[in-house]
Amino acid sequence: MKRVLMIATGGTIASTEDGSGLAPTMTGPELARQVPLLDTLCELDFVQPMNIDSTNMRPRDWLEIARSVRDAYDDYDGFVILHGTDTMAYTAAALSYLVRASEKPIVLTGSQQPMANPFTDAKLNIYHSVLYACDDQSRDVNVVFGGKAICGTRAHKQRTMSFNAFTSMNYPSVAYIRGGRIVRPAGAPLAEKNGGAPRFYDTLNERVIVLKLTPELRPSIFDLLRRDYDAVILETFGIGGIPDHDGSYQEAIFDWVDSGRTLVVTTQVPEEGLDLGVYEVGHAYAQKDGILKGDDMSTEALVAKTMWALGQTRDPAEVARLFYEPINNDRVPR
Ligand code: ASP
């Protein structure tokens, strides 16, 4: 029988109400006990590195979860991480970079309603996740939620209440789970497993901020960010528009990259990605050395990948090399 390690970290799934709002209290074993038929799928063990609302999840916690996987890697066939939904997409992306090319599946799940709610989605999400973690064809980091499996670098929390909380951004879902069966849409052939070990990383640079352009946002914001941040992920308008009424944006952005800091350009439009070459209002940035293009990546993956790349090196050419390497389907090269 397969062996799966459940790594419980908190979230709504583990939350109970004590009069001051939902907060996580239930442990991994307490949650698993509520889910029928898990013992028919595999042997389960548990670790609990933290029990927090994922609002409080920080990069140091991602490293701790990755350490839980690394420490137990040889002893298990798969891993299921119970996690709050609010920042699950960031953690899933971060784990995709911290545990590279894992032939053993690492699944994140949670729920929109607490396990204690009689109409909860928690039971089915846990059952589906363990089923997915036990399947021979599963690999790498995925979010399993609401009956589908989404690549860890492509998940995005789209809904605050509905059970289908997550969508897969600019990339198809990798599987659907229907009536206890995993359905994998025909497509790219699955990479063969040859027993290879994943590459684990244990450093991140958390000095990364997302800046969303809004009309009249002052370019002097870049001066204010210098003290606390090494990288800005700039969510531009549309397919890649940055205001150019008086040249001050270009000056601020070029100064930022010329000072050795990182600038990643992406779009604030949720779907279909960036192309800086289309409009004059983006053109100047398309050819500038040191500006990295987010293309079709999700903002969550851009945050995690930039933290990871800057955690390995500060050499801009090496940062760019790491950034542009496709990892866990995070980008489709144009
Ligand atoms: N606030 C909760 C969390 O992210 C929401 C959830 O889990 O659905 O931990």
Side-chain angles (χ1 to χ4, degrees):
M1 201 173 214
K2 293 220 176 184
R3 300 191 69 203
V4 169
L5 182 67
M6 190 168 275
I7 302 171
T9 73
T12 292
I13 197 163
S15 290
T16 48
E17 173 64 78
D18 71 353
S20 53
L22 287 168
T25 55
M26 291 178 76
T27 62
E30 285 168 344
L31 290 166
R33 264 201 295 279
Q34 304 291 321
V35 184
L37 299 176
L38 280 188
D39 56 352
T40 64
L41 298 177
C42 64
E43 279 174 31
L44 264 184
D45 286 324
F46 301 88
V47 287
Q48 183 96 41
M50 65 226 35
N51 206 357
I52 59 177
D53 191 300
S54 79
T55 301
N56 288 324
M57 191 70 70
R58 290 179 286 184
R60 67 191 70 171
D61 301 306
W62 304 340
L63 291 171
E64 186 158 357
I65 296 170
R67 257 194 307 276
S68 299
V69 173
R70 188 185 58 198
D71 291 349
Y73 197 80
D74 292 339
D75 299 331
Y76 292 91
D77 301 297
F79 302 84
V80 171
I81 299 163
L82 305 183
H83 194 289
T85 60
D86 291 343
T87 66
M88 188 186 294
Y90 290 95
T91 304
L95 291 173
S96 300
Y97 303 115
L98 294 171
V99 189
R100 291 266 311 270
S102 172
E103 293 188 354
K104 298 183 181 183
I106 300 167
V107 179
L108 290 98
T109 199
S111 65
Q112 292 280 65
Q113 290 295 333
M115 182 63 90
N117 181 318
F119 297 105
T120 186
D121 50 335
K123 294 181 189 189
L124 205 53
N125 283 346
I126 291 182
Y127 183 80
H128 283 169
S129 298
V130 174
L131 187 74
Y132 193 82
C134 290
D135 189 80
D136 286 335
Q137 296 203 61
S138 301
R139 55 174 298 151
D140 288 312
V141 178
N142 287 279
V143 168
V144 171
F145 205 100
K148 57 189 179 205
I150 299 171
C151 239
T153 55
R154 295 289 189 165
H156 173 73
K157 185 170 179 183
Q158 180 81 5
R159 299 176 191 87
T160 56
M161 289 184 270
S162 306
F163 286 179
N164 60 340
F166 287 90
T167 47
S168 183
M169 301 307 292
N170 296 329
Y171 196 76
S173 296
V174 295
Y176 297 89
I177 301 141
R178 298 280 181 266
R181 276 185 51 234
I182 298 170
V183 181
R184 296 178 190 271
L190 290 164
E192 250 181 52
K193 297 189 183 189
N194 55 18
R199 219 163 337 138
F200 290 100
Y201 292 83
D202 56 10
T203 43
L204 294 166
N205 176 344
E206 11 185 279
R207 292 164 55 92
V208 174
I209 189 170
V210 177
L211 184 63
K212 179 176 183 165
L213 285 183
T214 49
E216 206 54 90
L217 180 85
R218 304 216 173 141
S220 53
I221 185 79
F222 282 92
D223 294 330
L224 301 177
L225 295 176
R226 275 170 186 257
R227 201 195 68 185
D228 290 327
Y229 294 99
D230 296 328
V232 170
I233 294 166
L234 186 65
E235 288 194 342
T236 62
F237 296 120
I239 200 165
I242 301 174
D244 70 352
H245 2 83
D246 59 3
S248 53
Y249 263 102
Q250 188 170 319
E251 194 182 329
I253 290 173
F254 282 18
D255 276 359
W256 178 269
V257 287
D258 290 341
S259 70
R261 293 176 173 80
T262 303
L263 188 95
V264 178
V265 186
T266 185
T267 169
Q268 56 191 258
V269 178
E271 291 184 18
E272 300 176 357
L274 175 95
D275 186 347
L276 283 174
V278 176
Y279 291 98
E280 198 181 357
V281 284
H283 222 263
Y285 304 90
Q287 301 310 328
K288 170 80 179 161
D289 274 351
I291 293 185
L292 304 173
K293 286 123 201 145
D295 295 332
D296 67 338
M297 289 178 67
S298 70
T299 295
E300 292 89 334
L302 288 171
V303 168
K305 196 174 198 179
T306 307
M307 287 186 179
W308 167 75
L310 288 177
Q312 314 315 311
T313 177
R314 287 303 302 275
D315 170 35
E318 187 57 10
V319 171
R321 191 188 66 75
L322 293 172
F323 180 84
Y324 283 119
E325 188 185 353
I327 296 172
N328 196 17
N329 302 310
D330 62 352
R331 58 189 303 126
V332 175
R334 282 176 194 269

